[in-house]
Amino acid sequence: MGLLYQEAVKRPLLQIALDLIDLNAAIDIAIKSVKADVDIVEIGTPLVKSFGLYALREIRKIAKDKIVLADLKTVDAMALEFNPYANEGANAVTILGIVEDDIIKDAVELCKSLGVDLVVDLIYVQNPVDRAFRLASYGVNIVNLHIGVDIQRKRGLSARQLLHEVEEISQSDIIVSVAGGIKHADIDTFIQSGAKIIVMGSALTKSPDPYEATKKAVEIIRRRYT
């Protein structure tokens, strides 16, 4: 079990999602969020696709002792994707939950050997509760319940539609991460429902003051749950 899992079992964590294609902007926000004491800095998929390992190296230097997650959303050739990110300092990587079971099993073993956490993103999974429990039987211990940004825009949905699933899955030993349009006012609701990792993107990254926005979210979590 890697650092992400070890910390998440202790208390709820705040993750900032740097879903950007401007590396300079991502670096600036990362600096501010780390100063505000965010727990996890996520190199979002757009940043990974735009700048790859270079983005990881730059964010890793800024993150210092913070957890760094590379949101690779891997579906194939996992060794080719996971190995370089683990070697460059990522503490956790992601794979999509729609991937076949045998591949997930191999991913679990690979991440154990690399000393990084595997987070399974359940975006587009039709029955995330059943899938989460099935994955747990293969050794998966962190899942991300996730409503993608395009679905948020098209259907007016947010992660609040996942509260029931959060509650069900969190009754097990699985660490639940939740993402999808989460605002400061939602933090308490998700944590009370059992989420251990709160992923916030635009509420922090598009704020006029990312430092203050991150600090506010950190204070909500630390004040009430530590």
Side-chain angles (χ1 to χ4, degrees):
M1 295 177 186
L3 183 61
L4 177 58
Y5 181 86
Q6 292 173 29
E7 293 302 312
V9 296
K10 298 176 185 175
R11 62 173 178 82
L13 305 176
L14 176 66
Q15 176 174 321
I16 184 169
L18 299 176
D19 289 324
L20 306 166
I21 58 172
D22 183 332
L23 182 58
N24 289 329
I27 288 172
D28 180 63
I29 294 169
I31 290 170
K32 292 172 180 175
S33 66
V34 169
K35 184 179 178 182
D37 209 20
V38 74
D39 299 296
I40 307 158
V41 181
E42 173 196 326
I43 303 171
T45 310
L47 199 58
V48 165
K49 290 187 175 183
S50 297
F51 294 96
L53 288 170
Y54 181 68
L56 172 60
R57 295 186 190 109
E58 294 301 304
I59 299 299
R60 180 72 270 177
K61 288 186 289 187
I62 293 163
K64 300 179 183 177
D65 61 341
K66 302 300 182 182
I67 296 165
V68 174
L69 179 146
D71 191 14
L72 304 177
K73 291 189 175 70
T74 293
V75 295
D76 189 31
M78 61 185 172
L80 294 177
E81 295 195 10
F82 289 173
N83 275 284
Y85 280 86
N87 292 337
E88 291 287 349
N91 302 108
V93 293
T94 65
I95 191 169
L96 291 186
I98 57 174
V99 171
E100 290 189 4
D101 289 8
D102 285 349
I103 305 303
I104 297 282
K105 292 176 186 177
D106 289 345
V108 169
E109 294 307 312
L110 175 60
C111 286
K112 284 181 181 177
S113 70
L114 294 171
V116 300
D117 284 295
L118 178 68
V119 179
V120 180
D121 189 335
L122 299 180
I123 189 171
Y124 297 130
V125 169
Q126 293 301 308
N127 192 326
V129 175
D130 287 351
R131 186 62 173 151
F133 290 141
R134 185 179 183 88
L135 293 174
S137 71
Y138 306 145
V140 171
N141 52 27
I142 308 174
V143 299
N144 175 235
L145 290 173
H146 184 187
I147 291 185
V149 65
D150 287 341
I151 296 298
Q152 292 176 49
R153 290 171 180 164
K154 285 182 174 291
R155 301 183 188 174
L157 301 177
S158 75
R160 277 188 167 271
Q161 274 68 44
L162 296 170
L163 282 173
H164 180 68
E165 287 84 353
V166 172
E167 291 173 355
E168 284 198 62
I169 298 171
S170 65
Q171 290 175 15
S172 70
D173 293 330
I174 304 169
I175 295 293
V176 177
S177 164
V178 64
I182 296 176
K183 306 291 190 283
H184 290 81
D186 300 323
I187 294 174
D188 273 332
T189 301
F190 282 109
I191 294 178
Q192 289 170 12
S193 295
K196 296 303 294 285
I197 301 171
I198 306 298
V199 183
M200 298 180 70
S202 60
L204 306 182
T205 61
K206 294 184 179 180
S207 167
D209 190 336
Y211 168 77
E212 287 296 334
T214 305
K215 183 179 178 183
K216 179 180 177 182
V218 167
E219 288 175 347
I220 291 170
I221 294 173
R222 303 277 174 84
R223 183 172 66 246
R224 301 174 191 174
Y225 301 101
T226 58

